[in-house]
Amino acid sequence: MSIVFLILSILSMAAAIAVKVMFVPASDGIDISGAHVFFTIKMPIQDLPITEAQVNSWCVILAVLFLCLFLTTGLKTRNISIRQMVAEWIVEKVTGLVRTNMGEYFEGFAPFIAAILGLSGFSSLSSLLGLFPPTSDINIIAGWAILVFFLITYYKMKAGPWIYLKSFGQPQPLLAPLNIISEVATPISMAFRHYGNVLSGSIISVLIAVGLTKLSNSLFSFLPGAIADFPYLRIGIPAVLSIYFDLFSGCLQAFIFAILTMLYVAGGFPAEEYAARKKRRQERAAAKAARSQTAGKHADN
Amino acid sequence: MLELAIGIILGGCALGAGCAMIAGIGPGIGEGHAVAKACEAIGRQPECKGDVTSTMLMGCAVAETTGLYALVIAILLIFVAPGRFVDLLMTTIGG
């Protein structure tokens, strides 16, 4: 049963490759361009383009979903399988990470952080399959960063909108414009950091591939005929760089995006004010209950 | 005349991209300092190597931000701006 989910997970990545092979015009990997636009949907204000990045992103979402289902089908309490061990290890690690970085109150954030880690990591790693990595498109990352921005604002408003507005006047009311700018800069810097790292990696890879092609053409030009045109230097050497740019940088950026999400959400949360407000509310509710009780007694009399 | 104008646009964009990437100096120095301090910390307390390394990577990523802003501007100047500016020139002269 569980193997079906694994096959579906692989199939969803294969679907992304198939879509790329069928609809993206072939290139020799030398032109640097953005995501290929498959088609545009007519919308009232602005047309909505469906790009390679969106399609790949949905394929990665499906792959992660089926992978999670594969890991968690048939859970047992004893005599557990390796799949379940891996699933438990992931859950334990992410819960520990969230607990150490955010504190007890935010423990429910663990699934969200795991989702960010998985999605971002697999998106960056999809470039290993020759796909356009969704994380090198600013639109995808900006969407995640705006989601995180809404989360930060929601948790800052937990202690009441007045305290949230007052926090802009800290430490000086004159500094309010700067505080607003730094508030807006948070999602922008998060989006640019992730997108810039992945995109610069892919651009450098393309430049090195082009350079190696030219170098091998000029080095092996003494060979006769068509054998001289083959880029011998492009065998193996770009793969070494791919270890840094695709594997290390992709996983590191996913981790950093998750850590920054945790730090911003937990750091913006006004814990003391929230506790005071909660206490006040409880006291008011208790007083109200006591009053209604005495009122009820009067009515009985 | 038009060739000269387009040449100035392309050259200006390339020069601007190059100038923007001067900002790469800052993150380089900053990250170097961070890694040096992390090495010192690991030398002093080898047992907390894991914590120091993850914190250092985190700090490096944050210090990289200004460099990445410059990178994004350079990419825009190379891949996006020339086309826009040439279009603008064409609409201005009505060609």
Side-chain angles (χ1 to χ4, degrees), chain B residues 18-65:
Chain B
C19 290
M21 284 319 291
I22 294 175
I25 296 172
I29 295 173
E31 283 179 27
H33 271 294
V35 177
K37 294 285 176 192
C39 288
E40 276 177 25
I42 292 172
R44 226 178 291 125
Q45 281 175 299
E47 67 272 10
C48 60
K49 189 183 173 197
D51 280 353
V52 169
T53 309
S54 62
T55 314
M56 181 203 74
L57 285 177
M58 170 80 209
C60 280
V62 175
E64 231 172 34
T65 309

Side-chain angles (χ1 to χ4, degrees), chain A residues 135-138 141 191-200, chain B residues 72 75:
Chain A
T135 39
S136 72
D137 189 335
I138 183 84
I141 304 290
F192 275 3
R193 184 175 301 124
H194 197 156
Y195 145 84
N197 268 296
V198 179
L199 181 70
S200 66
Chain B
V72 169
I75 287 172

Side-chain angles (χ1 to χ4, degrees), chain B residues 66-86:
Chain B
T66 49
L68 286 167
Y69 288 160
L71 174 78
V72 169
I73 286 170
I75 287 172
L76 287 178
L77 275 174
I78 288 178
F79 292 111
V80 182
R84 290 282 168 88
F85 287 153
V86 169

Side-chain angles (χ1 to χ4, degrees), chain A residues 75-187:
Chain A
L75 295 181
K76 287 174 282 189
T77 47
R78 57 186 63 197
N79 198 7
I80 62 174
S81 56
I82 295 172
R83 275 187 300 122
Q84 188 175 346
M85 267 188 230
V86 172
E88 282 177 5
W89 180 79
I90 292 171
V91 169
E92 240 168 56
K93 280 282 169 197
V94 174
T95 315
L97 191 72
V98 169
R99 195 176 295 156
T100 49
N101 280 307
M102 297 175 91
E104 293 286 321
Y105 178 76
F106 288 103
E107 219 157 79
F109 256 71
F112 178 69
I113 299 299
I116 283 184
L117 274 174
L119 199 54
S120 169
F122 275 91
S123 297
S124 299
L125 291 183
S126 73
S127 64
L128 289 178
L129 298 174
L131 295 168
F132 180 86
T135 39
S136 72
D137 189 335
I138 183 84
N139 299 308
I140 304 284
I141 304 290
W144 300 353
I146 289 167
L147 176 70
V148 170
F149 175 69
F150 278 124
L151 264 180
I152 295 168
T153 312
Y154 174 75
Y155 277 95
K156 276 189 176 175
M157 284 216 193
K158 267 273 180 178
W162 177 237
I163 287 174
Y164 172 69
L165 287 179
K166 231 168 43 179
S167 75
F168 284 111
Q170 297 292 342
Q172 263 277 328
L174 271 178
L175 293 177
L178 286 181
N179 280 331
I180 291 170
I181 289 173
S182 78
E183 192 76 14
V184 175
T186 306

